[in-house]
Amino acid sequence: EVQLVESGGGLVQPGRSLKLSCAASGFPFSDYYMAWVRQAPTKGLEWVAYISAGGGGTYYRDSVKGRFTISRDNTKSTLYLQMDSLRSEDTATYYCTTIGIPWGQGVMVTVSS
Amino acid sequence: QFVLTQPNSVSTNLGGTVKLSCKRSTGNIGSNYVNWYQQHEGRSPTTLISRDDKRPDGVPDRFSGSIDRSSNSALLTIINVQTEDEADYFCQSYSSGIYIFGGGTKLTVL
């Protein structure tokens, strides 16, 4: 079955770190660029980061540059998002996504003291 | 980079036809592919249209995507609107590796 399964979310204090994972299955993961997209409660979709198929190219939205790191392990068909120096405004459901593959269920990240 | 503008909300009658717009602020709408996503309340988004007008397997042919160069907009057309089409719809395009999302349109079926 073609699917993306996110994990690693939770409640974290401001300034702390969290690492999200996205396990891919049912398609040739190493052939696909991947992205993280988030959605704050009652808000729209917001792109966070992008990584090329081979992992050599990465892009970030300005508000997470220097704090978040996107990476991938093509041998494990897994995408990651290392989130450091978390802020309350990072509170959202995080989705991993790529073109042509159904979205996963997402993972909730809550940044609060 | 450009902005994609969508109307906040649109209402349409059951069985009718509706066109949802996604207007690009600068640059040519045809320069980068546009994707459309549907999101029901409390659910993950699903891809309705990719690369301007391609429907993924399983998406009903009531949904179609197009580009209107005269208004520099992408359009999502839904014909024979059903109650289950009541949802949020987001357009998305690209700019130098960056994803750009529209703010989303809430579709209400009357």
Side-chain angles (χ1 to χ4, degrees), chain B residues 30-80:
Chain B
S31 298
N32 306 93
Y33 284 129
V34 176
N35 305 313
W36 288 91
Y37 306 101
Q38 178 190 59
Q39 187 178 34
H40 289 103
E41 180 98 26
R43 305 291 298 273
S44 299
T46 60
T47 304
L48 279 181
I49 298 291
S50 63
R51 298 179 179 176
D52 297 342
D53 57 9
K54 306 298 184 291
R55 228 180 5 258
D57 292 343
V59 174
D61 58 7
R62 301 187 295 104
F63 295 90
S64 63
S66 61
I67 298 297
D68 180 4
R69 296 179 191 278
S70 66
S71 62
N72 210 37
S73 299
L75 299 174
L76 175 68
T77 301
I78 312 173
I79 63 173
N80 189 21

Side-chain angles (χ1 to χ4, degrees), chain A residues 22-105:
Chain A
C22 169
S25 59
F27 67 100
F29 179 75
S30 60
D31 290 346
Y32 284 71
Y33 67 81
M34 297 296 299
W36 286 99
V37 171
R38 67 185 179 186
Q39 186 172 36
T42 73
K43 300 296 185 183
L45 299 173
E46 181 177 85
W47 168 77
V48 175
Y50 159 101
I51 187 167
S52 61
T58 56
Y59 298 91
Y60 300 91
R61 70 177 302 105
D62 286 346
S63 61
V64 308
K65 278 181 187 175
R67 299 189 300 122
F68 289 12
T69 303
I70 188 172
S71 63
R72 64 191 298 161
D73 184 339
N74 285 344
T75 65
K76 296 181 178 179
S77 295
T78 303
L79 176 72
Y80 303 101
L81 186 68
Q82 176 67 44
M83 304 186 293
D84 299 322
S85 302
L86 281 161
R87 306 169 180 168
S88 58
E89 54 264 36
D90 297 318
T91 293
T93 297
Y94 285 73
Y95 300 96
C96 63
T97 182
T98 186
I99 196 72
I101 304 298
W103 293 57
Q105 83 288 351

Side-chain angles (χ1 to χ4, degrees), chain A residues 11-28:
Chain A
L11 173 63
V12 62
Q13 293 179 328
R16 303 299 290 265
S17 300
L18 207 58
K19 186 171 185 176
L20 306 182
S21 299
C22 169
S25 59
F27 67 100

Side-chain angles (χ1 to χ4, degrees), chain B residues 87-107:
Chain B
D88 293 325
Y89 293 83
F90 297 93
C91 61
Q92 175 258 314
S93 190
Y94 306 90
S95 175
S96 302
I98 295 173
Y99 281 43
I100 296 174
F101 282 95
T105 296
K106 184 174 184 60
L107 178 66

